[in-house]
Amino acid sequence: MTLLSVNLNKIAVLRNSRGGAEPDIIRAAHTCIDAGCGGITVHPRPDQRHVRPDDVRALAAALRGRVEYNIEGNPFAAARGSYPGLIELAREVRPTQVTLVPDSDGQITSDHGFDLERDIDVLRPIVAQLRDIGCRVSLFVDAGATGLEAAVGIGVQRIEIYTGPYAHAFAEGNVQEELERCADTARRAQHAGLAVNAGHDLSQANLGTFKAAIPGLAEVSIGHALIGEALYDGMATTVHRYLQILR
Ligand SMILES: CC(=O)[C@@H](O)[C@H](O)COP(=O)(O)O
Ligand SMILES: NCC(=O)COP(=O)(O)O
């Protein structure tokens, strides 16, 4: 069964836009959990454009033991203001999983994964620290990524396939080549001993095709489309629809 982890970044975008406490990210988390999602994901960024460190801490307390907690971020991004850095946050809240994403501070969103051939040595101590904390470690990678065996060698347990190009190809009606790239990456990863997650721009429209092509898909983390769809149809109904697609 593929776990649905709902990314709540966009709840925080809406909340921060008015400077108050609504919509409440904790209430949103409970609504998604009550609807049956198996995890919650957040991607705190140094500029705190959406999820803030205190959100990360409050969610840890609210989720404790109910569902998986996945925190994403760039471990090399410097602390800034009240943002203490990804590793420090992970040390504080000890989430189920940390997904390492090589975003620079100025990126509007995530748009690429790690180059494992180039980055493996600098990732080694980061992965070791997170494993020592007791977190599962996942690396955000592009479809077609190589160096997967080396990732296993430094203690990485999962990859998350960046599905932005897949979603774009799906919208263009020309999905086959990108879908096969994702499927081949998943097969190679699983053969190397990694479990496979996926995320970015997945939606009700494109998820079923992706899921069918990736046997053993462990987790999808979905935020932007899901939260947008929930504005029209309600959060519980929308989560139910994603769970139905993943059955
Ligand atoms: C890694 C990834 O693709 C997403 O999880 C990321 O969290 C999107 O970040 P924004 O919500 O800031 O666009
Ligand atoms: N890792 C992907 C994620 O958490 C959500 O990405 P998106 O659905 O907001 O594009």
Side-chain angles (χ1 to χ4, degrees):
M1 178 73 175
T2 303
L3 185 139
L4 172 65
S5 188
V6 178
N7 184 310
L8 296 178
N9 292 352
K10 298 306 173 329
I11 298 292
V13 166
L14 189 54
R15 178 198 63 196
N16 295 355
S17 69
R18 186 57 65 90
E22 293 294 338
D24 178 349
I25 199 167
I26 303 301
R27 181 177 175 187
H30 286 307
T31 302
C32 293
I33 296 165
D34 292 346
C37 80
I40 294 293
T41 291
V42 288
H43 189 149
R45 297 177 180 270
D47 62 11
Q48 302 191 40
R49 66 186 75 170
H50 41 54
V51 170
R52 297 168 174 157
D54 280 349
D55 296 321
V56 173
R57 299 175 181 115
L59 282 165
L63 301 188
R64 190 60 63 201
R66 286 196 74 191
V67 295
E68 293 207 2
Y69 188 24
N70 176 40
I71 300 178
E72 301 183 329
N74 184 341
F76 306 110
R80 188 199 301 183
S82 64
Y83 176 77
L86 180 69
I87 303 302
E88 179 48 41
L89 275 175
R91 201 183 305 282
E92 281 184 50
V93 304
R94 297 175 185 270
T96 314
Q97 176 175 267
V98 173
T99 300
L100 303 179
V101 185
D103 286 0
S104 62
D105 292 359
Q107 278 180 227
I108 188 173
T109 191
S110 307
D111 62 10
H112 67 282
F114 281 102
D115 174 341
L116 295 176
E117 311 281 359
R118 180 195 65 201
D119 300 335
I120 201 71
D121 289 333
V122 293
L123 284 168
R124 187 189 309 273
I126 299 293
V127 174
Q129 282 180 283
L130 292 170
R131 292 295 304 273
D132 288 348
I133 295 169
C135 301
R136 179 199 306 145
V137 179
S138 179
L139 285 188
F140 197 62
V141 301
D142 298 325
T146 56
L148 299 174
E149 295 76 6
V152 174
I154 66 168
V156 175
Q157 295 149 297
R158 296 196 180 182
I159 60 165
E160 176 178 339
I161 298 174
Y162 168 46
T163 50
Y166 159 76
H168 178 73
F170 184 93
E172 295 292 305
N174 183 22
V175 73
Q176 209 45 50
E177 183 178 339
E178 190 59 36
L179 187 58
E180 179 46 36
R181 274 163 60 83
C182 292
D184 174 65
T185 304
R187 286 191 296 268
R188 290 186 291 111
Q190 290 162 341
H191 181 71
L194 295 160
V196 176
N197 297 350
H200 202 89
D201 283 339
L202 292 174
S203 67
Q204 287 183 56
N206 64 35
L207 179 59
T209 300
F210 186 84
K211 159 83 170 146
I214 315 287
L217 179 62
E219 172 185 305
V220 290
S221 44
I222 305 176
H224 191 87
L226 187 153
I227 301 300
E229 290 155 357
L231 294 176
Y232 308 123
D233 303 319
M235 190 164 270
T237 296
T238 301
V239 169
H240 290 151
R241 288 175 179 167
Y242 276 94
L243 293 173
Q244 192 63 29
I245 294 167
L246 291 172
R247 290 174 71 84

